[in-house]
Structures are given as C-alpha cells and as structure tokens.
Amino acid sequence: NVGQVNAALMIHSRVPLRLGELARASGLPRQIVASALLTLEKRGIVKRTRAGDHDVFAPDTSSPYYPSAYLAALVDLPVAATLGSHRAMAAYLYGSMAVPGRGTPRSDIDLLLVGDFKNKAAVREAVSTLGERLERRVDAFLLSPEELEAGRRSGDARVRAALDGVRLFGEA
C-alpha cells in the first residue's frame, strides 16, 4: 500500500495533492492512504503543507531519498496488473517521466510494451484506463518480440530510448 501511494505521489510530483486525490490516484481507501502517508512522512519522502483549510502532500524533492523513491514508484506502477491476460512479456517506461524531476504536470507516461498481443485495441484500452486513474495520458508503444529485435538491429531511436528507460517488469 505504501508503494501504491508513493507511486501516485511521485507521478504527480510537481502538484501537491489532497488525501482524496491520492486515494483516487492510488485506487486505495482514504484510511489506508492516510496511514501510508504517515509512513512516507516519517521516512522523509513526503512533505505535508497546508493549503487553505486542508493538507496537501507532495514528494520532498530536496530529500536525498527522492531519486530512489521516484524510481521505486515507477517500478510500483500497476502496469503488469493492468495488462493482466494480454500476454505482456516486458514493460519499459521512458521519456521525461523516467527521470526524477523532469516530468511536468502535462507530461504523459511513455511505455514500451513487448508481448504477443492478440488484441492491441484491448491492450490500449487497459493502458488508457490506467492513465485515467493516474490522471496522466499513457502513450503505449506496442511491439512483438520480433519487432523489438528488428528495432534493436536497425538502431531505432525510440526502441533505444525505451530500453534505456526504467524496466518495470520482464526482460526484452
């Protein structure tokens, strides 16, 4: 649960969020989110500030733990669970969101998904649903293992950038 809350917070690292917003983004009940936030505060990963009549939470980007908490959050993104039975073999996050502090409130989540996808439209729909929950657009680059290998051999810049990003699961 702490990982899910951390992931939601880090994805929105430049926008302080209320407890309810974090509950929606993490898909967890408010009580569990509140408990996870206390843990993250004690660890120096999250800071709480007051905005009007409510508390808001944001990553403590000045903390020495911020870069590793950010990268851990990316690995904790529920991509594997979202893809369920779609036969994904590997997922990589790349682009601005793959680098601590580079993503902006308008940044999308760029994913390379490798697998034997029988229904690419269904995979894109599942990924879009994840984006709605995280309140970020998700741009999914779907490749079969053969297409990935061809992209590697030809030096495809997008494939190279994706494979140099953050491996979320699997191995391509």
Side-chain angles (χ1 to χ4, degrees):
N1 296 337
V2 171
Q4 286 174 268
V5 173
N6 185 54
L9 236 133
M10 295 298 168
I11 290 299
H12 301 288
S13 64
R14 294 192 181 196
V15 181
L17 298 174
R18 294 172 139 181
L19 179 65
E21 293 168 324
L22 280 167
R24 271 192 308 283
S26 65
L28 295 170
R30 291 170 67 101
Q31 282 183 301
I32 291 173
V33 172
S35 176
L37 285 168
L38 285 173
T39 300
L40 291 167
E41 280 183 279
K42 287 178 187 174
R43 294 180 182 169
I45 295 169
V46 170
K47 62 183 175 183
R48 175 192 308 242
T49 56
R50 201 81 178 140
D53 62 346
H54 57 273
D55 290 339
V56 292
F57 303 88
D60 184 352
T61 57
S62 67
S63 166
Y65 304 114
Y66 172 69
S68 57
Y70 185 90
L71 293 174
L74 298 180
V75 173
D76 284 339
L77 286 175
V79 174
T82 297
L83 295 174
S85 64
H86 291 291
R87 303 169 99 174
M89 299 164 55
Y92 292 82
L93 177 103
Y94 63 103
S96 62
M97 293 298 291
V99 180
R102 267 202 51 218
T104 69
R106 291 189 175 156
S107 295
D108 63 350
I109 297 173
D110 297 306
L111 293 176
L112 165 64
L113 303 175
V114 182
D116 280 323
F117 303 118
K118 301 298 180 208
N119 184 346
K120 288 187 177 185
V123 173
R124 290 187 195 288
E125 179 62 32
V127 168
S128 176
T129 300
L130 172 64
E132 288 171 13
R133 191 176 109 202
L134 295 173
E135 298 174 346
R136 294 268 179 183
R137 189 171 151 267
V138 178
D139 181 21
F141 180 28
L142 306 178
L143 294 177
S144 69
E146 298 78 20
E147 291 168 326
L148 176 69
E149 190 53 40
R152 270 189 182 142
R153 279 195 309 272
S154 70
D156 183 289
R158 190 172 180 191
V159 168
R160 187 174 47 250
L163 293 177
D164 287 343
V166 177
R167 181 170 52 93
L168 302 177
F169 70 85
E171 186 127 0

